Amino acid sequence: MSDLTLAELAAAVRAREVSPVELTEEYLARIDRDNDRIGAYLAVDHEGALAAAREAEALVRSGAQDLPVLCGVPVSVKDTCPVKGLRYTAGSAVFADRVAEVDAAVVTQLRRAGMVVLGKTNAAEFGCSSYTETVFGPARNPHDLARTAGGSSGGAAASVAAGLAPAAHGSDGGGSVRIPAACCGLVGIKPTRGRVSSAPGPDSAGLATAGPIARTVADAALLLDAMSTARPGDTHQLPPVPAGHFASSAERDPGRLRIGVLRGPESDDPWCRRACEDTVALLADLGHDVAYAEPTDPDDYREEFAVVWSLLACSVPVPAEREQDLLPLTRWLREKARGYDAVTFMSALVSMQAAARRIASRYDRFDVVVSSATAALPPLVGGLVDDDPAQTFENMLEFHPLTPLANITGQPSLTVPALRTPGGLPVGVLLTGRYGAEATLISVAAQLERAKR
């Protein structure tokens, strides 16, 4: 059962071909068997998941005609997101014993869709890094356990790639959904700014948003439909879309699109360059108009991004006596932030908005922009970490130089698998679209997926 896609599982539950309880028990058994060597989950909610599965099963057996679209289907939730009654560490030793008092808005949405929360997945401390290696252990890549699953949603991606969840909730402030998806051979979507509420957390900088990680484009679209919502007080909000809007986009032909291509430098790994080139050639064969686009120099945004990123790391309240318990990168970011005043922060936000306008305008003539998702294959566990945290930060940006662009502009962006190396490592490509145009990205990504079958 657990080899079926999210969409197939939902259909099987509705047709009473699959029991939500049996399905949940199978995933929990897989987690109990495999999680110690993969490090996908930090907390597994056996009791709560089975209780939710029994409720779903009773609803199905009642013969109700208006079953939730994902009734009885399991999902994992990243541990930077609160789930009421479950451990909520945010990847940090400082919060090792914290238990969430409320559900995040996005978790409420998943429950309304009928989903069963299996547990909380391993995440980088405060979501600060593009690898997931904390005091609780690393999230390992199921395709090669010596390598990282990426970050900061590394546990989320590992849970799906290892078959420990059919799909996962993640979050993305600089690539944290798309990087792990690329590392683990999955589809990951960073939605448009304002598509998914961050409540009860803040969203003042507008960089981060929740997003889905799944095995197929259709599954990711289905999960995005379930996640999408706005809440009173959200700084950024989009008008609601019709039910099933994104899922139906995966079935729709995108039409003839204008595709821009961002070439990576010669220093990029050859497999990453090839993934992009092969995807571009396939898009041309599918009838799209393809042209090379002017590159964006990371220096055009890096300084402002680093200022805002460090201040976001510092915005997490930590008792002074516990600062020493934070990881070196987190401590370094917070120390940097304390050297800035309010004027510096506001200036960085203004400069970042100006950079967002320049970047978005540069590619506005294209419907979709294609690039490599990462500049290198998934590193070994520990491979991005340096004794000097400043160098660790640089290593991260060199690993995924283009993913932060969509966080800065607020545009939707997704990762799709492109190829496998001879050693079996997955390589992904990045597709980025216009503001609010997730449907177009999903349509063309699904078209690519079908063409490769």
Side-chain angles (χ1 to χ4, degrees):
M1 290 188 295
S2 53
D3 292 325
L4 299 176
T5 66
L6 193 69
E8 290 168 342
L9 287 173
V13 167
R14 297 173 78 86
R16 303 191 194 186
E17 297 169 356
V18 171
S19 156
V21 172
E22 291 176 354
L23 181 61
T24 299
E25 287 175 338
E26 179 172 340
Y27 275 107
L28 290 173
R30 283 188 172 207
I31 294 167
D32 290 343
R33 183 189 68 205
D34 296 334
N35 190 59
D36 283 350
R37 63 189 182 87
I38 295 169
Y41 286 85
L42 292 185
V44 184
D45 188 18
H46 293 81
E47 183 178 340
L50 287 171
R54 285 191 288 269
E55 288 181 11
E57 189 155 323
L59 188 60
V60 172
R61 287 179 174 175
S62 74
Q65 298 301 305
D66 55 347
L67 290 176
V69 66
L70 291 168
C71 184
V73 179
V75 68
S76 64
V77 176
K78 183 179 177 181
D79 198 32
T80 53
C81 177
V83 175
K84 185 177 180 179
L86 294 189
R87 190 181 182 198
Y88 176 31
T89 74
S92 179
V94 173
F95 301 118
D97 299 319
R98 179 172 64 175
V99 175
E101 297 180 357
V102 297
D103 278 342
V106 68
V107 175
T108 299
Q109 289 297 111
L110 296 175
R111 294 195 197 278
R112 285 177 178 171
M115 302 198 82
V116 173
V117 176
L118 294 169
K120 304 294 293 299
T121 54
N122 202 354
E125 188 169 59
F126 305 165
C128 286
S129 65
S130 47
Y131 53 89
T132 304
E133 298 163 22
T134 72
V135 294
F136 307 114
R140 297 182 180 274
N141 195 317
H143 301 282
D144 180 347
L145 295 179
R147 296 179 182 268
T148 181
S152 61
S153 308
S159 74
V160 179
L164 309 186
H169 155 280
S171 62
D172 190 316
S176 290
V177 159
R178 293 161 292 154
I179 296 161
C183 288
C184 294
L186 303 169
V187 178
I189 302 177
K190 186 210 83 70
T192 301
R193 182 179 293 152
R195 182 70 71 197
V196 181
S197 175
S198 66
D203 61 353
S204 53
L207 289 178
T209 178
I213 298 175
R215 286 159 50 198
T216 69
V217 175
D219 280 0
L222 190 59
L223 194 54
L224 180 58
D225 275 319
M227 289 180 162
S228 298
T229 186
R231 289 288 187 273
D234 287 349
T235 308
H236 310 281
Q237 297 188 29
L238 290 177
V241 296
H245 174 71
F246 297 122
S248 64
S249 298
E251 301 171 359
R252 190 166 55 241
D253 187 287
R256 186 170 181 172
L257 301 178
R258 290 167 294 179
I259 307 291
V261 183
L262 290 183
R263 279 177 168 157
E266 290 300 316
S267 58
D268 282 4
D269 185 274
W271 287 107
C272 298
R273 292 202 310 272
R274 178 175 168 180
C276 187
E277 291 165 359
D278 288 355
T279 300
V280 170
L282 180 53
L283 287 166
D285 288 343
L286 290 168
H288 299 292
D289 298 320
V290 175
Y292 284 99
E294 178 187 352
T296 291
D297 188 336
D299 289 338
D300 196 30
Y301 66 82
R302 183 173 294 193
E303 182 176 350
E304 295 84 358
F305 181 81
V307 170
V308 175
W309 197 253
S310 65
L311 284 158
L312 290 175
C314 198
S315 69
V316 180
V318 173
E321 66 274 13
R322 297 300 306 273
E323 285 283 334
Q324 63 183 4
D325 298 325
L326 298 173
L327 297 175
L329 176 65
T330 313
R331 287 203 310 271
W332 175 77
L333 287 167
R334 291 168 67 90
E335 287 165 5
K336 277 176 60 70
R338 293 190 187 98
Y340 302 133
D341 57 20
V343 173
T344 304
F345 179 46
M346 289 305 299
S347 296
L349 286 176
V350 169
S351 296
M352 198 165 67
Q353 185 179 42
R357 287 174 172 151
R358 288 194 302 272
I359 294 165
S361 297
R362 188 173 297 151
Y363 306 121
D364 191 53
R365 64 192 176 96
F366 299 111
D367 299 300
V368 175
V369 175
V370 181
S371 68
S372 300
T374 60
L377 299 177
L380 295 173
V381 170
L384 293 175
V385 181
D386 191 90
D387 290 338
D388 178 3
Q391 185 59 52
T392 299
F393 192 74
E394 288 301 311
N395 292 345
M396 288 175 6
L397 290 179
E398 289 173 7
F399 175 47
H400 54 90
L402 298 179
T403 56
L405 296 182
N407 301 93
I408 292 169
T409 65
Q411 293 169 267
S413 182
L414 61 80
T415 301
V416 288
L419 57 79
R420 293 287 181 95
T421 69
L425 286 176
V427 183
V429 294
L430 201 62
L431 308 180
T432 301
R434 292 196 178 97
Y435 201 90
E438 288 97 329
T440 298
L441 286 183
I442 289 166
S443 293
V444 72
Q447 184 187 45
L448 285 169
E449 190 177 65
R450 288 190 296 269
K452 292 177 182 178
R453 288 175 184 160

